[in-house]
Every structure is written in C-alpha cells, then in structure tokens.
Amino acid sequence: MDDTNSRFDKIEPKIKEDSFLKNKGMGNEVGYYIFDYPPEDELIVRQRIHELKEKINNNDYGFKILEFDLYEMIIQILDSKGYLEKTFKFENDKGREFTRNAIDKVLKLSLDSNLIVNHIIENSEPDSVIFITGVGKVYPLVRSHNILNNLHQQLDNIPVILFFPGQYTGTDLKLFNTLEGSNYYRAFKLVH
C-alpha cells in the first residue's frame, strides 16, 4: 500500500509536465502510459484517482482529467442498446462463455468499430488527460491490451493512462499478477 501511495504521488507532477501534456512519449512516440499496482490496492487507487480528478478538474491547470471506467461503459452501452437484461438472462440460461461471446459481438470488440474505443474517442476533449479504469472489473469480457491497441490507432493527440491491477513489465501485462501476460509494447510505465 505504501509503495502504491508513494508511486501515485508522482502522477500529479508527471501529468502537469509540458512534454506529457503535448502527448509525446520517449522518442516522440504517442503518449500511452500504464500505472500498474498490486490488485489488493484497487480501492486505494480508486480513491486516489477520485481525489486527483477533483483537484485537477476543480482548478485551472489548463487541462482536465477524463475518466473512462470500462465496466461502467459496458453497462451503459448494453443498457442503451436494450441488451443489459438480456445479458443477465443469457448468463443464467446459456452460461458465461456464450454470454461473453454475445457481449463481444454487441460491443464489436474485435472490429475497428469497437464501441468502447468509439465511446472514448467521441467523449474525449482537447486539453485533457484520459484515465482508463475498471480493467479488473471487466475481465474476462474485455482485455485491456485490445482496447489500447485499437485506441492507439485512432487517438494520438491526448495522453492516455491505463490503471492496471497487476504488473506491466514494459512488454507484458499480467492481470492480477497471476494470469498469463498479454504482450503490449506501445505504452510506457507512467512512474516507477
């Protein structure tokens, strides 16, 4: 917990840096970042995100934090399309795998028209920093590296930070520190 808090303390100064806000990572790569943390610190990280958002968004720092919780987006999208109650029934009647595949199709997760990615793009604003949260809450429905890969292809003018309950080695994302890692090479560790 202390390590997570001390690392989180480094986020505010980092996101206020001019180079960060101009969205240029190392070697002028597009600024995609990952803040990884022990899964048992999830509630601490949620609270710290809330506090940081309040501080930044209620003052004049020249930018805003836009948080996109993957779980909340999925619920909102399914509800808006009239599929939320059907999803509950599918899971009860046909099982989790059938339900996961049905949600994948509704959200178009494997297509360029991915509804989660489109929602983030459509609701992004200039002079902002995007926080993507809720990664653990949506597993195994959504894999964070898929969202980042699709988003990376379409959004390159706003810095993006993925809050990841697990470990990011710089090449692998290992959710909950136990699940097999997924290769992802395009993001930088936000802070060490």
Side-chain angles (χ1 to χ4, degrees):
M1 174 174 66
D2 289 338
D3 184 50
T4 299
N5 274 316
S6 64
R7 288 180 58 241
F8 200 98
D9 288 341
K10 297 177 183 177
I11 293 177
E12 182 180 345
K14 176 78 174 174
I15 66 175
K16 288 179 177 176
E17 292 175 3
D18 193 45
S19 61
F20 182 90
L21 293 170
K22 289 183 179 173
N23 199 33
K24 295 298 177 191
M26 298 167 73
N28 285 331
E29 298 262 344
V30 174
Y32 276 64
Y33 302 88
I34 295 176
F35 180 82
D36 59 347
Y37 55 92
E40 59 269 19
D41 291 347
E42 176 68 27
L43 297 180
I44 293 163
V45 171
R46 285 184 198 175
Q47 181 61 37
R48 297 292 309 268
I49 288 170
H50 173 76
E51 292 166 358
L52 182 58
K53 260 179 41 182
E54 290 292 312
K55 180 178 182 181
I56 296 294
N57 292 352
N58 290 324
N59 288 290
D60 188 18
Y61 289 107
F63 70 98
K64 298 288 182 198
I65 292 174
L66 302 176
E67 181 181 3
F68 295 96
D69 182 305
L70 296 175
Y71 178 78
E72 290 175 12
M73 283 192 298
I74 288 174
I75 297 298
Q76 179 185 2
I77 292 168
L78 291 175
D79 191 39
S80 72
K81 295 194 165 296
Y83 287 115
L84 190 58
E85 292 302 319
K86 290 177 187 175
T87 301
F88 299 140
K89 186 166 175 30
F90 280 160
E91 185 172 15
N92 191 41
D93 295 346
K94 300 191 180 200
R96 287 187 180 152
E97 189 62 26
F98 180 87
T99 305
R100 190 186 68 71
N101 289 331
I103 290 171
D104 185 274
K105 288 178 185 169
V106 170
L107 298 176
K108 303 177 183 180
L109 294 177
S110 57
L111 302 174
D112 288 341
S113 54
N114 181 317
L115 296 183
I116 293 173
V117 170
N118 288 347
H119 178 84
I120 293 170
I121 291 169
E122 290 165 6
N123 292 283
S124 295
E125 301 171 9
D127 299 322
S128 62
V129 175
I130 292 174
F131 282 13
I132 298 177
T133 61
V135 170
K137 294 188 285 186
V138 295
Y139 179 82
L141 296 175
V142 176
R143 302 296 299 267
S144 55
H145 71 280
N146 289 338
I147 297 297
L148 289 179
N149 279 332
N150 289 324
L151 195 58
H152 190 270
Q153 296 171 19
Q154 300 181 53
L155 184 69
D156 63 1
N157 59 338
I158 299 171
V160 174
I161 302 171
L162 176 77
F163 288 85
F164 188 78
Q167 184 179 36
Y168 180 55
T169 65
T171 57
D172 291 316
L173 290 162
K174 191 172 185 182
L175 188 62
F176 307 131
N177 292 335
T178 58
L179 298 174
E180 188 63 35
S182 301
N183 290 339
Y184 189 75
Y185 301 96
R186 294 185 179 135
F188 305 102
K189 260 195 163 190
L190 180 64
V191 296
H192 293 277

